[in-house]
Amino acid sequence: MNIKMNAPLCAGAAVLACLSPSGASAEEGFTIVDGDKGKLSIYGTLDGGFLSRSGNNGAYAAQAGTRFAGHKSELTSGIESESRLGFKGSRDLRNGVSVFFQLEAGFAIDDGKSTLSDAEGNSVFRRKSFIGLTGQPGTVVMGRIDGGRYSVAGKYDPFANGTVANMASIQVHGTRADNAVAYISPAWNGLSFLAAYTTSLVGQESPGNKGDGRLWAFIPSYSKGGLDLTLDIEQLQAKGSEEHKLNILVAGGAYDFGPVKLHAYWESIKTDNYKDIFDGSFATYSALLNHRSWMLGASAPVLGDKAKIRASYVVLDDKTSLDASCRKWGLGGVYYLSERSTYVYADVAKINNSANGICSIQPNPARTAVDSGGTGSPAGGYGTTGFDFGISHSF
């Protein structure tokens, strides 16, 4: 990794992506202004296709209630990657320092509606909205940014947090962080880190700041040659609770052998004193009380670089007395029509729940995340078997 951190790269990718060479592959979009007052670009992704989901096992159907009614087929948006439109810009200041910003909105191409709204229905630029400074000492950003744990999951998931086969939807992730400030270090011989803090993870701060959901995160990363490793350590003080802190430990790794790339992910999620609020029933259950989860996967180019196949196996091991565990496998492929900007994809996945498992198929984890107005539950998807086929184009 080059030690130099530049504003256009960081502004054009997820914050965590600036820790790895993958950030350089982000779409640059179309430059609409490039002059003495800075640079402004517009970019986007249009993604849609056919989605089919069915099946139920474990306790999923009982907990889904009327939301589940057998087989469901649909034409929908954002299967492989959320459809979006964004603006990013930067301006050189002085002494090697630049200011940059990014605003990104999600929308659905099947009905034209905005996506990722909050509980009140607000949805403008809910994917990203931040401003920052970058220079030789590193990069600082402030605003609504990608969640650390969610970014690590997407970095090592062969399905990159998309399609019916993604792993994040059964683990329950906070996909974005409100009111956040983050520092991204330069790289030293492949090693870099991100440190972040948010005064209120979801929504605005409360009067007197009592009960705000405050989170801190420290994410070191190492990337050199074919090896890529990331550790994520976070702690969240749950909104409205001083004694129930959520402790997060995540490790991810990948090694690219050339003909095949191996992916691995592991996480431990535990809430302090969770037995004070959990009585062993679904009424008080949350997937974030106490669980372990791991994933093993692989991806490989085929037909030269014209296509890619990918596969993963995910385990969610619920450690509460309810034992709402599940297993999931996924298999899929991508065929590139124009370098990496336009491609078609197809994927299949199946979930096997334990007797009390409630995991379901959700191709876009952000749709069920609490920070985006969702249920925050593994049962927030639909069915336990899924198939998708679609097309994605980025500019």
Side-chain angles (χ1 to χ4, degrees):
M1 179 190 290
N2 194 317
I3 194 171
K4 182 180 179 181
M5 302 293 293
N6 63 78
L9 185 150
C10 289
V15 172
L16 188 75
C18 293
L19 291 175
S20 71
S22 61
S25 64
E27 292 294 334
E28 288 299 318
F30 295 107
T31 300
I32 54 180
V33 176
D34 191 359
D36 294 339
K37 293 186 177 181
K39 182 178 180 180
L40 176 64
S41 300
I42 183 172
Y43 67 94
T45 295
L46 297 149
D47 182 293
F50 174 77
L51 174 64
S52 176
R53 292 176 286 180
S54 63
N56 74 86
N57 55 61
Y60 160 68
Q63 293 304 305
T66 57
R67 291 188 295 106
F68 179 74
H71 183 269
K72 180 182 180 181
S73 295
E74 58 189 308
L75 288 174
T76 189
S77 176
I79 300 173
E80 162 82 14
S81 182
E82 184 77 34
S83 296
R84 70 198 73 173
L85 182 67
F87 301 89
K88 56 187 177 183
S90 63
R91 183 178 183 179
D92 291 333
L93 301 177
R94 62 180 66 179
N95 300 323
V97 177
S98 297
V99 61
F100 64 92
F101 71 90
Q102 185 168 357
L103 300 171
E104 186 174 294
F107 62 91
I109 63 172
D110 56 330
D111 59 14
K113 294 180 181 179
S114 297
T115 59
L116 302 191
S117 61
D118 61 11
E120 286 75 41
N122 302 308
S123 58
V124 179
F125 300 128
R126 291 280 296 168
R127 284 188 55 83
K128 293 186 184 74
S129 55
F130 59 78
I131 187 170
L133 293 171
T134 186
Q136 192 67 22
T139 299
V140 177
V141 297
M142 180 188 72
R144 178 173 167 88
I145 63 177
D146 292 337
R149 173 178 166 237
Y150 183 64
S151 295
V152 176
K155 183 178 180 182
Y156 296 107
D157 180 2
F159 298 90
N161 287 345
T163 81
V164 295
N166 79 80
M167 68 174 177
S169 58
I170 66 172
Q171 296 166 337
V172 181
H173 284 249
T175 63
R176 307 293 190 278
D178 291 339
N179 312 297
V181 58
Y183 167 76
I184 307 162
S185 78
W188 300 280
N189 198 30
L191 180 65
S192 54
F193 71 88
L194 178 149
Y197 179 78
T198 172
T199 53
S200 179
L201 181 66
V202 180
Q204 294 302 307
E205 297 86 347
S206 59
N209 298 113
K210 293 183 179 180
D212 290 339
R214 295 185 289 273
L215 176 143
W216 62 262
F218 179 67
I219 310 176
S221 181
Y222 177 80
S223 182
K224 198 167 187 179
L227 180 64
D228 195 296
L229 301 171
T230 301
L231 183 68
D232 176 21
I233 306 168
E234 301 183 39
Q235 187 177 80
L236 168 66
Q237 177 182 297
K239 200 173 183 69
S241 174
E242 295 288 339
E243 63 273 8
H244 300 128
K245 291 183 172 63
L246 181 67
N247 302 290
I248 300 170
L249 179 61
V250 174
Y255 193 86
D256 192 343
F257 291 91
V260 63
K261 183 176 182 179
L262 299 181
H263 308 248
Y265 177 92
W266 176 90
E267 69 174 25
S268 171
I269 310 294
K270 187 174 183 179
T271 300
D272 290 342
N273 305 313
Y274 75 88
K275 293 183 179 179
D276 295 342
I277 55 177
F278 174 62
D279 62 8
S281 70
F282 280 110
T284 57
Y285 174 73
S286 166
L288 300 180
L289 291 178
N290 188 7
H291 83 238
R292 309 289 184 274
S293 182
W294 57 266
M295 180 277 301
L296 291 177
S299 59
V302 293
L303 303 177
D305 286 329
K306 293 181 179 180
K308 177 175 68 174
I309 56 174
R310 50 196 179 180
S312 69
Y313 180 74
V314 189
V315 171
L316 176 70
D317 187 8
D318 181 51
K319 296 294 185 178
T320 71
S321 59
L322 195 61
D323 188 20
S325 303
C326 67
R327 309 287 188 266
K328 180 179 183 179
W329 62 262
L331 178 67
V334 174
Y335 185 82
Y336 299 103
L337 302 175
S338 175
E339 296 180 348
R340 295 294 185 269
S341 62
T342 306
Y343 54 89
V344 293
Y345 55 86
D347 308 275
V348 63
K350 182 173 177 58
I351 291 172
N352 293 307
N353 282 306
S354 66
N356 286 327
I358 57 175
C359 297
S360 58
I361 300 291
Q362 172 55 267
N364 194 315
R367 301 282 179 90
T368 56
V370 173
D371 58 271
S372 297
T375 62
S377 168
Y382 194 94
T384 54
T385 300
F387 169 77
D388 64 55
F389 175 78
I391 183 170
S392 183
H393 171 70
S394 296
F395 62 89

